[in-house]
Amino acid sequence: MTTSASPGPDGIHAPSLVQLAADSLRSMILAGEYAPGERLAEERLTERLGISRPPLREAMRLLEGEGFIVTQPRKGSRVATLTDQDVHEILTLRSALERLAFELGVPVRDPALLEAPRRAVAEMEDCARREDRGGLVQAGYRFHLALVGIAAHRRLSESYAAIQRQQLLCMARNLVVREAYYEDLVQHAARHRLLLERVESGDRDAALAELAAHGEQSFASVALPAELYRSSFSGGAPSARGRAGQSNAPT
Amino acid sequence: MTTSASPGPDGIHAPSLVQLAADSLRSMILAGEYAPGERLAEERLTERLGISRPPLREAMRLLEGEGFIVTQPRKGSRVATLTDQDVHEILTLRSALERLAFELGVPVRDPALLEAPRRAVAEMEDCARREDRGGLVQAGYRFHLALVGIAAHRRLSESYAAIQRQQLLCMARNLVVREAYYEDLVQHAARHRLLLERVESGDRDAALAELAAHGEQSFASVALPAELYRSSFSGGAPSARGRAGQSNAPT
DNA sequence: ACTTCGACTACTGTCTACAATAAGCAACAC
DNA sequence: GTGTTGCTTATTGTAGACAGTAGTCGAAGT
């Protein structure tokens, strides 16, 4: 995942503790170290991250804006709890943004914009050959982000990256079944290659059609396991009794 | 504009200084008190707002996430400078989100969702009769936000509200010509009423078609004056020599 | 035994203070 | 006269501390 470390045009700087803390927290949440609904006490986090409270609080403001945590005024912060409605929202919005990117950018104006998705899909194929599931997923995310980049639309790309991160959060809640997704890794990469070719051809409608078909698969790999997870959850989870099924705060 | 004061379901709370500061800053920027590109020194703002630096910094993190200000790691924060590309991005994204809302929600499932836009359009007509231009604009924003709300899609509504605020920022940069927009206030309100009726009818395609026509008008009232502003700007503006035409930081 | 009132604990919200970095400016050398 | 170097100042980044509030546990009364 492209972390948001952005020191500027070219000048290199020690990234502020706020950025470091935000990246660390995001990683920890996505890694499942903090369960959805779990309380995030500031004091604990400061001693874990080795920083003071002000930068930590600013980092949490950032993550709040990204939808990873929810904060209630005097009751502290919690890891966002994703309901089925949330998953639905994430998937539909992600899909719509991708479609918009195609509509805006599919007769690709600047050929240089195609470099990034080409590299990503090549990496996907490489991972598929090596049967590297984790790398394949990572490269897949980079591919989609790069594909949205063809619109040359900064706000669109940022919104897409944000919703993509939230989708990762969706998948963090069902880590157990993540490994079982792709029946055929090579075929998975091939679908992405086909999507890229449609884009390269410049035929907007064909690209959109392929994207729609592509989206079906994506839905299956996120929404479906969520169901599996929930049923296995009510069965007998060890701890982490976060109140699943509750809506997030209306921030 | 629906400020982001959200203490929760029903419990009332003294809003934190962070929220107060964020709202104040936003208002000041939108009112044009701080020109695009202008440096936002923390010390000055603390004594103006009467608060300390930590809550102010957190508020600025929020506004950074909303796209109102850009921050460079050790060089401070500035009011976001909007290029023509930025304006284009804002308008296309806003339009696309509105369209998505229609696609998801136009055969309106829950009739209660139509209450808010109905109230807003009634208020628009009232303002139009009284020739209250300011009120008409405000009600117009509420109308569009409420219209997006028919999708019952929290993330979509939030994204829309965010981009709508940025559009307000667009308009803040050409305050001079804002008054000359609507040739006919009653006709302006009537267009919105028509759009609402299309939505109420449940005919998705008709609603989308009307929305597209509606969008044309919206483009004209934001993008065009931006051009006017720029030409009058290079002519001879008094101060505020913010480097217009430069891209924002890639945060 | 159940309910209610009270104090306690832990946490968040905020402030003041210190350290470090960057920009501006002046003096010096070439 | 121009370029460079060093200092000065202002501003940001971070730390530690204090005050206020929410949740909880216990005890007393009904």
Side-chain angles (χ1 to χ4, degrees):
Chain A
M1 174 165 67
T2 305
T3 55
S4 51
S6 62
D10 51 353
I12 53 174
H13 278 303
S16 68
L17 287 188
V18 176
Q19 283 295 338
L20 269 325
D23 291 343
S24 293
L25 261 179
R26 221 192 337 259
S27 298
M28 288 195 284
I29 293 175
L30 289 178
E33 296 188 39
Y34 291 95
E38 185 168 345
R39 180 79 175 278
L40 290 174
E42 298 178 0
E43 189 71 21
R44 310 292 174 80
L45 288 174
T46 57
E47 61 190 35
R48 168 156 191 183
L49 295 174
I51 61 174
S52 182
R53 279 184 58 208
L56 174 70
R57 282 175 63 89
E58 291 183 36
M60 291 174 79
R61 292 283 178 194
L62 287 177
L63 264 58
E64 186 185 0
E66 293 178 9
F68 277 73
I69 64 179
V70 294
T71 302
Q72 286 180 300
R74 273 169 180 73
K75 297 181 60 179
S77 303
R78 295 174 177 278
V79 177
T81 302
L82 293 176
T83 65
D84 292 344
Q85 165 72 9
D86 287 313
V87 175
H88 174 257
E89 286 186 10
I90 290 168
L91 293 176
T92 53
L93 190 52
R94 188 186 103 110
S95 173
L97 292 178
E98 220 162 20
R99 208 185 52 192
L100 173 62
F102 276 33
E103 288 171 355
L104 286 176
V106 144
V108 179
R109 283 182 248 285
D110 184 1
L113 291 171
L114 285 169
E115 283 306 313
R118 278 180 185 139
R119 276 197 307 271
V121 81
E123 194 175 350
M124 286 185 75
E125 289 164 344
D126 196 46
C127 289
R129 272 192 296 272
R130 295 201 317 267
E131 294 193 355
D132 177 4
R133 280 190 154 77
L136 184 64
V137 172
Q138 296 282 327
Y141 279 104
R142 275 197 297 278
F143 172 74
H144 280 279
L145 186 58
L147 214 50
V148 169
I150 62 172
H153 194 299
R154 191 175 66 87
R155 282 170 178 76
L156 176 56
S157 290
E158 281 181 13
S159 297
Y160 185 80
I163 209 73
Q164 203 180 37
R165 280 194 292 262
Q166 289 193 41
Q167 186 181 338
L168 280 175
L169 187 58
C170 292
M171 300 180 72
R173 77 172 191 174
N174 49 16
L175 278 174
V176 278
V177 290
R178 187 193 279 184
E179 295 298 317
Y181 281 174
Y182 309 115
E183 64 284 25
D184 187 339
L185 274 63
V186 174
Q187 182 189 339
H188 181 75
R191 276 212 318 275
H192 287 76
R193 166 68 71 181
L194 178 60
L195 183 58
L196 176 59
E197 285 172 356
R198 288 280 192 277
V199 170
E200 285 174 325
S201 75
D203 186 344
R204 185 183 301 170
D205 292 332
L208 284 170
E210 183 58 31
L211 179 65
H214 195 94
E216 302 277 334
Q217 292 284 348
S218 186
F219 263 70
S221 60
V222 178
L224 220 86
E227 294 295 329
L228 289 176
Y229 173 74
R230 204 175 43 160
S231 55
S232 77
F233 179 85
S234 59
S239 66
R241 66 283 175 259
R243 306 160 300 181
Q246 175 178 331
S247 173
N248 292 322
T251 308
Chain B
M1 173 166 62
T2 305
T3 55
S4 50
S6 61
D10 53 353
I12 52 174
H13 277 303
S16 69
L17 288 188
V18 176
Q19 281 296 338
L20 269 326
D23 291 343
S24 294
L25 261 179
R26 215 187 350 249
S27 297
M28 290 194 283
I29 292 175
L30 289 178
E33 295 188 40
Y34 291 97
E38 186 169 343
R39 178 79 175 278
L40 290 174
E42 298 178 359
E43 189 71 19
R44 308 293 175 79
L45 289 174
T46 57
E47 60 190 36
R48 169 156 190 182
L49 296 175
I51 61 173
S52 182
R53 280 182 56 212
L56 174 72
R57 284 175 61 90
E58 290 185 35
M60 291 174 79
R61 291 284 179 197
L62 287 177
L63 265 58
E64 185 185 359
E66 293 179 9
F68 277 72
I69 66 179
V70 293
T71 302
Q72 288 179 300
R74 274 167 181 74
K75 297 180 61 179
S77 303
R78 294 174 178 279
V79 177
T81 302
L82 293 176
T83 66
D84 292 345
Q85 165 72 9
D86 287 314
V87 175
H88 174 258
E89 287 185 9
I90 290 168
L91 293 176
T92 54
L93 190 52
R94 187 185 104 109
S95 174
L97 292 179
E98 221 162 18
R99 208 185 51 193
L100 173 62
F102 276 33
E103 288 171 356
L104 286 176
V106 144
V108 179
R109 281 182 250 282
D110 184 2
L113 291 170
L114 284 169
E115 282 307 312
R118 277 181 186 138
R119 276 197 308 272
V121 81
E123 193 175 352
M124 286 185 75
E125 288 165 344
D126 197 45
C127 289
R129 272 192 297 273
R130 296 199 318 266
E131 294 192 355
D132 177 4
R133 279 191 155 77
L136 183 64
V137 172
Q138 296 282 329
Y141 280 104
R142 275 197 298 276
F143 172 74
H144 279 279
L145 186 58
L147 215 49
V148 169
I150 62 171
H153 194 299
R154 193 176 65 87
R155 283 171 178 77
L156 175 57
S157 290
E158 281 182 13
S159 297
Y160 185 81
I163 209 73
Q164 201 180 38
R165 280 195 290 263
Q166 289 193 40
Q167 186 181 340
L168 281 173
L169 186 58
C170 291
M171 300 178 71
R173 77 173 193 175
N174 48 17
L175 279 172
V176 278
V177 291
R178 187 193 279 185
E179 294 300 316
Y181 282 175
Y182 310 114
E183 64 285 23
D184 187 338
L185 275 62
V186 174
Q187 182 188 339
H188 181 75
R191 275 212 320 275
H192 287 75
R193 166 67 72 182
L194 179 59
L195 183 58
L196 175 59
E197 285 172 355
R198 288 281 193 278
V199 170
E200 286 174 323
S201 76
D203 186 344
R204 184 184 299 171
D205 292 332
L208 284 170
E210 183 58 32
L211 179 65
H214 197 95
E216 303 276 333
Q217 293 283 349
S218 185
F219 263 71
S221 59
V222 178
L224 220 86
E227 294 294 327
L228 288 175
Y229 172 74
R230 204 177 43 162
S231 54
S232 77
F233 178 86
S234 58
S239 67
R241 68 282 176 258
R243 305 159 300 177
Q246 175 179 330
S247 174
N248 292 325
T251 308

